[in-house]
Amino acid sequence: MAENIPVGSTTSGAIAVAAEAKSTVATRMSAPPSFDVADFPVPHGREEEWRFTPLERLRGLHDGTAVATGEGVKVTVEAPEGAVVETVGRDDARLGRAGTPVDRVAAQAYSSFEKASVVTVPKETVLSEPIRIAVHGQGGVAFGHQVIELGDFAEAVVVIDHTGDAVLAANVDYILGDGAKLTVVSVQDWDDQAVHAAQHNALVGRDASFKSVVVTFGGDLVRLHPRVTYTGPGGEAELIGLYFTDAGQHQEHRLFVDHNVPHCKSNVVYKGALQGDEAHAVWIGDVLIEARAEGTDTYEMNRNLVLTDGARVDSVPNLEIETGEIVGAGHASATGRFDDEQLFYLMARGIPEHEARRLVVRGFFAELVQQIGVEDIEERLIAKIEQELEASVA
Amino acid sequence: MATLEIRDLHVTVEADNATKEILKGVDLTVKQGETHAIMGPNGSGKSTLAYSLAGHPKYTVTGGTVTLDGEDVLAMSVDERARAGLFLAMQYPVEVPGVSVSNFLRTAATAVRGEAPKLRTWVKEVREAMERLHMDPSFAERNVNEGFSGGEKKRHEILQLELLKPRIAILDETDSGLDVDALRVVSEGVNRVRETGEVGTLLITHYTRILRYIKPDHVHVFAGGRIVESGGPELADKLENEGYEAYVKGGASA
């Protein structure tokens, strides 16, 4: 509904049916993907992929002036029996297989990291407990690389928890063997000053299922790039995101699902609440159905709930279809103000305003929270939402 | 005894960049135990009266007073009015995604009663009230009004009426959109609440049909933003036979 869109927000989107093999999703990037930072010009801010991002707040991650400070972040991996955890050097052959950096910051991370974490779940191994990776910022600048690889028919849940203060650029690779099942929950619960830019590359095997849950609360600037490609038919990807953008925060989620293989599914649902002056959320949802990807089934949705004046949302779903032989393809984006009619209805039953707001916001996120499937994260998330709302009422 | 007194109430609404007066001096007194039917043609301002009493922000009160036992209702926020004992059963109940009926009812009951109802007795209380309204128990786990049929929405409103036990209940076109069976079930619910003798009921309706199930003590004809005629139940019979025509012309210009 047009009248629901708050001033200062944009919702645009496109469904393009392309006859050419050359995808516009790829060509509107300012440079082709590369592992070498030198292949990317320093962005000036008007490029398609940078136009929503306040470059000056990247603290030099985009122009080479950010230099690693040794104790930038502390990475701790806690894994149940059955998983293999290693710390490896740059030359390890297992790095960089799930995807190539698509922008200068991701390439900078790949060019600059010194040690990488590699977590392997051997084939047919089903983990009973989540693997927990704590990335704790210690106030410095850091470049990271992580690989999580599941062999054929392996199953695992991974929680990557970002806390503390840091300027961090990273690439995370998820590699799923045939029939593997991986759920990854990436929590961005940074302190107020943190800057975090990361590219998440998922390579989904034949009949494998990948679930990505991205939860972003903290940080001064968080810019994530979850990407999915498939290596065989029957793959499924579910990308869930929740964000709560406060005054002054910039939270940007740029998704790309490349249906490069027939008979795969993808489902993207991102929901965000915003409150306070200069709260800025950006959501870009790119889905490409390549000519050979017959039988594709895809849907993407972004919903934003604007709780106060002064917040801004830019939401851009793009669906590009090169074959008509598909099961389904769709997208939706909606940004609405807090619904006064809902508030009236609840208050007309005696429920005080702050409690009514809490019910509505909890309700807004509830369906996604229930899908996370990691109990302590669900509880922490609900507590976090309550805490954010308390702050807004006070 | 609870008494709602409406005196010379004037209400405006903003529409198309213009201020329009909808209520033009409403006078009405509703006492606990009484049932008043307010009947009128479309656009006469009946629903505006209902929503203004509940405090909907869309409406601006420009004159007059509303008191509940002498307390100034117009000075109260929406939730304060509800806690003071006013209840509005809405014509178009609002969907609240992600909030279950059971969570909503308990939150509302806690607010209105001033303390959380004891869980065991509360579950029983809700279950029995739902049974009386022929509502399936699974209803409690659905989200408030989401995907409800017209009849389900109205039953849900009456369920709240029974559980929240207001002193003054305003029923805004509760009969609209209901088939005869649903109308009977809903009317029985209203009558159960009325029979306690503890509620004053303001029944707003366009049709006389509901008055076969809920017998009013007083009938008021609403036209042109005010009450133009008041009488006993016989006035409803007259409306049944003659319609609103006489009031639409005469009443609006009077």
Side-chain angles (χ1 to χ4, degrees):
Chain A
M1 283 192 297
E3 74 264 34
N4 256 349
I5 297 174
V7 176
S9 294
T10 63
T11 299
S12 57
I15 297 181
V17 179
E20 303 286 317
K22 197 83 175 164
S23 150
T24 56
V25 171
T27 55
R28 62 195 164 79
M29 302 295 281
S30 50
S34 169
F35 287 102
D36 186 356
V37 65
D39 290 339
F40 294 89
V42 172
H44 46 67
R46 287 185 300 278
E47 300 84 354
E48 178 58 32
E49 73 269 32
W50 291 109
R51 66 188 178 104
F52 295 116
T53 314
L55 295 176
E56 69 284 358
R57 283 160 63 186
L58 279 168
R59 311 260 289 270
L61 287 176
H62 66 298
D63 61 8
T65 58
V67 177
T69 50
E71 290 295 303
V73 297
K74 187 163 183 275
V75 179
T76 323
V77 182
E78 201 183 292
E81 204 173 322
V84 181
V85 180
E86 298 162 80
T87 302
V88 302
R90 294 185 53 82
D91 54 351
D92 193 286
R94 291 170 295 178
L95 308 184
R97 286 176 301 148
T100 308
V102 296
D103 65 27
R104 189 179 156 98
V105 173
Q108 182 75 63
Y110 199 87
S111 302
S112 307
F113 77 91
E114 286 177 4
K115 296 282 179 204
S117 307
V118 176
V119 179
T120 311
V121 182
K123 73 172 188 177
E124 293 173 24
T125 302
V126 177
L127 298 183
S128 53
E129 289 292 311
I131 296 168
R132 293 178 188 272
I133 303 176
V135 179
H136 185 71
Q138 309 189 112
V141 177
F143 299 95
H145 196 100
Q146 287 151 0
V147 177
I148 290 145
E149 179 161 13
L150 270 62
D152 294 351
F153 302 104
E155 295 183 19
V157 174
V158 179
V159 177
I160 308 178
D161 197 359
H162 301 89
T163 56
D165 178 23
V167 174
L168 172 66
N171 292 282
V172 187
D173 291 343
Y174 307 117
I175 301 171
L176 285 76
D178 293 350
K181 285 192 169 66
L182 173 63
T183 296
V184 180
V185 183
S186 180
V187 181
Q188 287 65 242
D189 192 5
W190 295 106
D191 291 350
D192 288 345
Q193 299 307 310
V195 173
H196 180 199
Q199 182 171 326
H200 299 169
N201 306 298
L203 202 54
V204 180
R206 182 188 176 108
D207 299 320
S209 33
F210 173 63
K211 179 154 114 181
S212 157
V213 182
V214 166
V215 179
T216 302
F217 279 104
D220 174 58
L221 184 151
V222 173
R223 187 177 190 272
L224 302 181
H225 226 136
R227 300 168 69 84
V228 174
T229 47
Y230 301 85
T231 55
E236 293 187 14
E238 194 175 2
L239 307 178
I240 294 171
L242 303 93
Y243 45 91
F244 203 120
T245 316
D246 274 329
Q249 287 183 316
H250 178 92
Q251 296 176 343
E252 182 167 348
H253 299 93
R254 311 179 64 92
L255 292 95
F256 177 52
V257 180
D258 184 358
H259 279 279
N260 55 330
V261 165
H263 302 290
C264 290
K265 283 187 190 172
S266 64
N267 185 39
V268 178
V269 185
Y270 267 61
K271 284 187 167 187
L274 294 92
Q275 64 183 12
D277 274 348
E278 309 285 321
H280 189 192
V282 178
W283 183 83
I284 311 292
D286 288 333
V287 173
L288 170 62
I289 303 174
E290 297 191 20
R292 61 195 149 162
E294 293 179 359
T296 292
D297 191 357
T298 176
Y299 190 78
E300 51 170 348
M301 182 178 89
N302 175 229
R303 282 195 62 204
N304 296 286
L305 181 59
V306 177
L307 300 174
T308 68
D309 288 337
R312 178 186 174 89
V313 177
D314 291 288
S315 177
V316 188
N318 286 301
L319 179 57
E320 198 175 319
I321 305 172
E322 294 174 356
T323 173
E325 302 297 313
I326 57 170
V327 175
H331 67 198
S333 165
T335 296
R337 272 183 182 283
F338 196 89
D339 187 337
D340 290 337
E341 293 299 327
Q342 290 180 0
L343 197 60
F344 173 73
Y345 187 76
L346 296 170
M347 288 176 70
R349 299 306 180 239
I351 301 171
E353 182 172 352
H354 67 273
E355 188 143 3
R357 282 180 175 274
R358 213 158 61 188
L359 274 176
V360 171
V361 175
R362 276 185 71 153
F364 176 75
F365 284 119
E367 54 152 346
L368 289 189
V369 172
Q370 287 157 11
Q371 285 177 47
I372 293 175
V374 183
E375 206 176 319
D376 62 292
I377 297 291
E378 290 179 6
E379 283 165 12
R380 182 163 142 207
L381 195 53
I382 290 169
K384 203 80 194 177
I385 293 168
E386 301 275 320
Q387 198 184 320
E388 298 273 3
L389 289 169
E390 286 299 326
S392 76
V393 169
Chain B
M1 192 166 65
T3 305
L4 179 73
E5 283 199 56
I6 305 166
R7 290 286 165 266
D8 195 28
L9 186 65
H10 289 255
V11 169
T12 62
V13 66
E14 298 295 321
D16 303 326
N17 296 320
T19 304
K20 198 175 170 217
E21 185 169 56
I22 309 282
L23 299 187
K24 300 170 181 171
V26 178
D27 288 292
L28 183 65
T29 302
V30 181
K31 295 191 169 122
Q32 214 164 13
E34 294 178 349
T35 299
H36 294 248
I38 292 200
M39 309 196 58
N42 288 329
S44 60
K46 312 185 292 290
S47 284
T48 298
L49 175 63
Y51 279 86
S52 301
L53 293 175
H56 195 288
K58 184 176 155 193
Y59 302 101
T60 308
V61 174
T62 53
T65 59
V66 179
T67 58
L68 181 60
D69 294 341
E71 297 282 322
D72 184 359
V73 170
L74 299 177
M76 299 179 194
S77 61
V78 175
D79 53 317
E80 284 169 349
R81 294 179 195 203
R83 292 198 297 273
L86 272 182
F87 179 86
L88 169 62
M90 296 189 202
Q91 185 180 1
Y92 302 110
V94 182
E95 291 185 6
V96 191
V99 178
S100 70
V101 167
S102 67
N103 184 12
F104 164 64
L105 292 176
R106 191 167 158 82
T107 307
T110 302
V112 166
R113 297 178 190 183
E115 59 176 359
K118 287 205 171 53
L119 200 55
R120 196 146 34 101
T121 53
W122 170 249
V123 169
K124 187 161 171 271
E125 191 181 344
V126 173
R127 195 185 57 229
E128 289 173 356
M130 285 176 66
E131 276 169 12
R132 288 194 297 267
L133 287 163
H134 302 220
M135 297 166 85
D136 191 88
S138 66
F139 203 86
E141 300 317 313
R142 292 170 67 184
N143 290 333
V144 172
N145 293 319
E146 202 177 56
F148 287 16
S149 69
E152 286 173 334
K153 282 185 181 167
K154 297 300 170 69
R155 281 171 212 221
H156 181 227
E157 294 295 288
I158 301 309
L159 175 65
Q160 296 167 52
L161 171 68
E162 289 205 51
L163 292 170
L164 299 180
K165 300 181 174 57
R167 297 194 290 161
I168 300 291
I170 304 156
L171 310 179
D172 185 22
E173 309 221 8
T174 295
D175 52 333
S176 67
L178 294 184
D179 61 31
V180 173
D181 289 339
L183 181 62
R184 189 180 303 123
V185 170
V186 162
S187 299
E188 284 166 6
V190 174
N191 285 334
R192 277 192 297 274
V193 175
R194 290 196 318 142
E195 281 157 15
T196 63
E198 286 172 5
V199 66
T201 307
L202 193 54
L203 183 68
I204 294 175
T205 182
H206 181 76
Y207 306 103
T208 50
R209 187 178 63 152
I210 194 173
L211 304 185
R212 286 176 220 148
Y213 302 97
I214 303 174
K215 298 289 180 198
D217 307 302
H218 306 273
V219 174
H220 310 276
V221 181
F222 208 81
R226 63 164 78 101
I227 290 169
V228 293
E229 189 173 351
S230 296
E234 74 288 347
L235 185 52
D237 298 333
K238 184 183 157 201
L239 290 171
E240 170 81 32
N241 296 326
E242 298 173 16
Y244 294 116
E245 238 165 79
Y247 301 103
V248 175
K249 282 182 186 167
S253 60

